[in-house]
Amino acid sequence: MTGVSYPPVPYDPELEPGLAMFLELVEGIPLRADTILANRAHFGTIVPPIEQVVGDRPVEVEHRAVPGPAGAPDVELTIVRPRGGVTGAPGIYSIHGGGMVLGNRFFGIDGLIEEVLRFGAVGVSVEYRLAPEHPAPAGVEDCYAGLVWFAANARELGVDPARILVTGASAGGGLSAGVALMARDRGGPALAGQMLLCPMIDDRNETVSTRQYDGLGAWDRNNNDTGWDALLGPLRGTDEVSPYAAPARATDLSGLPPAYIDVGAAEIFRDEATDYALRIWATGGQAELHVWAGGYHGFSGFSPQAEVSRAAAGTRLSWLRRILGVPSTP
Amino acid sequence: MTQTPVPFDPEIEPALALVVQPDAPPFTPEAVPAMRKAMAALFPPAAEAVGDAPVDVVERTIPGPEGAPDLEVTVISPRWLDHPVPGLYNIHGGGMMVGHRNMDVPRLLALVLEHGVVAVNVEYRLAPEHPHPAPVEDCYAGLVWTAEHASELSIDPDRLVIMGGSAGGGLSAGVALLARDRGGPRLAGQLLLCPMIDDSNTTVSSHQYSGLGTWTREANLAGWRMLLGDAAGTGTASPYASPSRATDLSGLPPAFVEVGSAEPFRDEDTEYALRIWATGGQAELHVWSGAFHGFDMYAPDSELTRAALAARDSWLRRVFGT
């Protein structure tokens, strides 16, 4: 594509400090095939222990090993419940991000704890096997196995099985979309919704937005190449890629649970996320799409005090109230 | 072509039955005068509509486009204004063929009070009596007047945002293109609410809402036909009438694009945002789940509307720097 230039959408000035922090804290080492393990080790040091994240908030935390996919190891789940237990509660099944190669189930769990308390929900965060040691379909199959267990044990956990939704950011958003496709195709758990936050869903890395953020910003085009190469190996970019690994590959997006898709206007996943929503709507399916002006990848997590981040957080809560049938507060 | 529509949000769906009259006549040039009259009766003049809110309302007559009649505008300002504040230049909707600026007074009053801004609400000539370019040229003339009289209106000329819903959103986008291409007023933003911007009527969503919802495919075809005549849907429309036809969307003011997922404009509006981003331009896009055309006006007391208004207010704070 030489000769074609792709001027990027500029960042919201209020987000610039958070972006700088993200780049320094998370992406100090460029993510390439030979730096994945070093990055993973570093990433592990910036995710605080769960006890520290919980602090004195009134939740109970339980770690459980549940059956993994056939022939695979058990899957570790962390279950977060309001102290004292609940009945008929919403269930929030959370899948962490990290480009399919980094992270653990405690990354981002602060947000899950907040939602557990706000909605009186039961949250489950799943540990899944990472690439490149465990290429597709290991990660998404682990996530699916954990969801099947959660749905089957919903009542024991105080959860209304009709109100379980799946959620995740970045790779976790892509895995959430993949799990929603699997649940549909396998006649698995009926999900109340899929909340896909800046989801990583397209291995082709060919949209305008992927080219606008090539060497620029958080989770740039090169990092994305690294993640997909690790997950898919030589299959990447071919017609052999499974839609469960790269949901943008799915040819049929009908019959899915209502989707919430939220992404920044100034990041590589903008176009694939928008296209996913367009294709869901074309089938008559329900999706809500929010593309926030000047938002970098993960802006609301790393610049939580910015006006745009507060708006994004408030909008997510509105959708959760609508999906979970929680009365709204005028 | 029949297409399964995205369903309506259950909380707002009951409002649909109140809005959509099963025996409503179709939009035809013959039916339009009576429709305008019936709508006008629903909306009192601004001075009356604002009640005892702490605002000043001034009706003014200003010059129209060259060789065309004068324009009526309503200026709504916070009372006791003693310094320049941001401005909102508003264009009402009505499919290019019906509607009146008084329809938007409640929406504008809320924004004036929330953000402490001055609103200028323009009346423009309607199709089919006045086909393109009359409506968009009227709106542009009103914008030029507003920018030139910013100081007198207590508007900070660097913080002037154009806005409108439906046809008014399409006209806002058209005026923003005109202002760019003519070196006209510099806009700080364009707030496009479920904008009507594509005369082609070829998108999936334009087919999904055939005979369904508050603004149907049929109504939309009629509106474009009245505005553009035989040129409607032929690919020859001016981008100032049908902004989706613009081949260059670079260099525009930051856009806010809001639309429902359950209405005909969903796809054209989403596409407009995608094309702005592709140029490196700034746009924020909100597509609300299960929302029909004009949901915020027809279902004001709903979770969806509260969330949509909050997102608009947030964007205005960011654009105004308040």
Side-chain angles (χ1 to χ4, degrees), chain A residues 181-269:
Chain A
L181 289 165
M182 291 167 84
R184 177 195 66 180
D185 296 347
R186 295 179 180 178
L191 291 167
Q194 48 177 336
M195 181 175 256
L196 315 178
L197 308 176
C198 48
M200 172 180 177
I201 54 176
D202 190 349
D203 64 294
R204 289 162 292 194
N205 218 9
E206 277 171 358
T207 62
V208 171
S209 55
T210 64
R211 297 186 185 280
Q212 287 175 317
Y213 301 92
D214 184 343
L216 179 69
W219 197 255
D220 85 322
R221 184 160 200 265
N222 301 294
N223 282 16
N224 203 41
D225 269 331
T226 304
W228 284 113
D229 281 342
L231 185 71
L232 300 173
L235 288 184
R236 183 176 169 216
T238 72
D239 291 343
E240 305 299 306
V241 173
S242 163
Y244 305 141
R249 297 284 198 160
T251 52
D252 177 10
L253 294 181
S254 66
L256 291 170
Y260 183 93
I261 301 176
D262 146 325
V263 69
E267 72 144 297
I268 69 169
F269 294 150

Side-chain angles (χ1 to χ4, degrees), chain A residues 1-329:
Chain A
M1 302 295 275
T2 48
V4 181
S5 75
Y6 296 94
V9 176
Y11 298 116
D12 177 334
E14 199 184 355
L15 296 177
E16 300 264 12
L19 174 59
M21 185 184 78
F22 185 110
L23 294 175
E24 188 184 330
L25 186 70
V26 182
E27 296 190 355
I29 315 167
L31 185 69
R32 302 294 178 268
D34 59 354
T35 63
I36 288 175
L37 295 183
N39 265 286
R40 198 183 292 166
H42 169 68
F43 203 92
T45 67
I46 63 175
V47 178
I50 178 82
E51 298 76 16
Q52 186 183 321
V53 178
V54 168
D56 55 6
R57 286 182 284 186
V59 293
E60 297 166 358
V61 177
E62 180 190 357
H63 307 289
R64 273 178 94 145
V66 306
D74 282 353
V75 168
E76 301 282 338
L77 301 179
T78 292
I79 303 164
V80 183
R81 275 179 285 196
R83 192 176 292 155
V86 286
T87 52
I92 302 174
Y93 186 75
S94 176
I95 305 176
H96 74 80
M100 309 287 179
V101 294
L102 310 174
N104 61 48
R105 69 187 184 281
F106 305 118
F107 175 49
I109 205 161
D110 184 56
L112 183 63
I113 294 168
E114 281 183 26
E115 281 165 7
V116 162
L117 290 170
R118 185 181 295 270
F119 292 102
V122 174
V124 173
S125 187
V126 60
E127 199 69 59
Y128 58 90
R129 287 170 292 168
L130 298 174
E133 299 94 316
H134 304 284
V140 74
E141 289 286 359
D142 285 355
C143 294
Y144 184 72
L147 174 67
V148 168
W149 180 89
F150 184 28
N153 294 275
R155 292 197 192 284
E156 178 215 326
L157 296 167
V159 169
D160 173 1
R163 289 200 298 162
I164 293 176
L165 60 89
V166 59
T167 181
S170 195
L175 289 161
S176 295
V179 162
L181 289 165
M182 291 167 84
R184 177 195 66 180
D185 296 347
R186 295 179 180 178
L191 291 167
Q194 48 177 336
M195 181 175 256
L196 315 178
L197 308 176
C198 48
M200 172 180 177
I201 54 176
D202 190 349
D203 64 294
R204 289 162 292 194
N205 218 9
E206 277 171 358
T207 62
V208 171
S209 55
T210 64
R211 297 186 185 280
Q212 287 175 317
Y213 301 92
D214 184 343
L216 179 69
W219 197 255
D220 85 322
R221 184 160 200 265
N222 301 294
N223 282 16
N224 203 41
D225 269 331
T226 304
W228 284 113
D229 281 342
L231 185 71
L232 300 173
L235 288 184
R236 183 176 169 216
T238 72
D239 291 343
E240 305 299 306
V241 173
S242 163
Y244 305 141
R249 297 284 198 160
T251 52
D252 177 10
L253 294 181
S254 66
L256 291 170
Y260 183 93
I261 301 176
D262 146 325
V263 69
E267 72 144 297
I268 69 169
F269 294 150
R270 180 194 70 220
D271 291 349
E272 64 201 60
T274 302
D275 190 58
Y276 203 67
L278 278 166
R279 290 179 53 215
I280 290 172
W281 295 322
T283 71
Q286 198 58 277
E288 181 154 306
L289 173 67
H290 299 282
V291 187
W292 298 95
Y296 62 86
H297 185 67
F299 69 94
S300 58
F302 281 81
S303 303
Q305 298 308 317
E307 171 67 41
V308 64
S309 304
R310 284 183 282 137
T315 304
R316 279 177 209 156
L317 291 177
S318 169
W319 183 80
L320 286 171
R321 284 195 291 271
R322 282 176 271 143
I323 284 295
L324 297 175
V326 178
S328 57
T329 42

Side-chain angles (χ1 to χ4, degrees), chain B residues 168-223:
Chain B
L171 289 162
S172 295
V175 168
L177 289 165
L178 275 174
R180 178 195 66 179
D181 296 346
R182 292 178 179 173
R186 260 183 319 111
L187 290 165
Q190 47 180 334
L191 181 73
L192 312 178
L193 306 176
C194 50
M196 173 182 178
I197 55 177
D198 184 358
D199 70 298
S200 78
N201 278 283
T202 53
T203 64
V204 173
S205 55
S206 75
H207 286 283
Q208 284 174 318
Y209 297 91
S210 176
L212 182 66
T214 51
W215 186 250
T216 63
R217 173 177 182 80
E218 292 71 26
N220 202 44
L221 286 167

